[in-house]
Amino acid sequence: MEITPLEKARRQAFRLLSLRARSEKEIRNRLTVNHGGTIADELIRQLREEGFLNDEAFARERARYLAVSRLEGNRAIEADLLRKGIDRSMITGAIQAAREELSEPEAIRRLLKKRGQPPVPSDRFRTQKTGRYLLSKGFSTGLIFDVLNE
């Protein structure tokens, strides 16, 4: 029995989704490369109707993971979700939901504790180094200064 191109694409989509949750954009990009845009669009529509693809749920889950498990700042979370093709309005809601569980200042405190650093670095060099590290994790400069100067 011959497998249709749509069924081949569907199998690939389920393999991708079995590894981890993915956004519509991620699935569409992978399917388009192997099966073409028309098949990818049709399959995305079907998967969305069947409840296998939901960008809002994906955004909430991903934002929570980045905020709570990876201790990322809001800027890093937003950048990650934008790369995954999530709409800005969904990103805002997802970040707010994640921050109800763990605020940004608390995430900074946990990061510093995890690194074995005192809450307030002892000298200017350490303060600058800590500030650069926290900036790289996606925290805003003002928030970093507020937490380090507590």
Side-chain angles (χ1 to χ4, degrees):
M1 185 168 137
E2 186 74 22
I3 297 174
T4 66
L6 186 63
E7 184 57 32
K8 284 181 184 179
R10 187 174 186 80
R11 288 179 180 184
Q12 180 185 6
F14 281 123
R15 273 193 309 273
L16 292 169
L17 290 169
S18 72
L19 297 172
R20 68 171 175 83
R22 295 177 192 265
S23 68
E24 285 183 22
K25 178 184 175 187
E26 290 177 297
I27 296 291
R28 179 176 278 110
N29 288 346
R30 294 290 292 272
L31 293 177
T32 300
V33 168
N34 295 326
H35 306 284
T38 306
I39 290 176
D41 290 341
E42 173 61 22
L43 186 56
I44 293 292
R45 185 190 61 72
Q46 288 177 11
L47 292 173
R48 198 179 316 125
E49 286 176 2
E50 294 166 1
F52 292 110
L53 281 180
N54 182 337
D55 273 356
E56 189 169 349
F58 170 79
R60 287 184 184 277
E61 178 183 321
R62 182 76 179 164
R64 186 193 174 284
Y65 167 74
L66 293 172
V68 177
S69 300
R70 301 272 314 271
L71 299 173
E72 300 277 343
N74 289 355
R75 289 179 179 176
I77 296 169
E78 181 178 7
D80 181 80
L81 292 175
L82 284 171
R83 277 192 305 274
K84 304 235 183 255
I86 305 300
D87 186 65
R88 283 190 188 275
S89 61
M90 284 187 221
I91 291 172
T92 303
I95 290 173
Q96 285 175 350
R99 289 301 171 204
E100 288 175 8
E101 187 171 341
L102 180 70
S103 69
E104 267 193 303
E106 184 57 33
I108 290 174
R109 289 184 200 98
R110 285 188 187 179
L111 271 173
L112 295 176
K113 185 176 181 181
K114 185 177 175 182
R115 292 184 85 199
Q117 291 184 249
V120 179
S122 56
D123 60 26
R124 184 175 176 174
F125 174 74
R126 283 209 184 281
T127 301
Q128 290 174 346
K129 187 175 177 180
T130 300
R132 285 191 302 271
Y133 170 70
L134 293 172
L135 279 171
S136 75
K137 294 288 283 179
F139 295 100
S140 67
T141 307
L143 181 61
I144 293 168
F145 282 127
D146 290 345
V147 172
L148 291 179
N149 291 324
E150 286 178 341

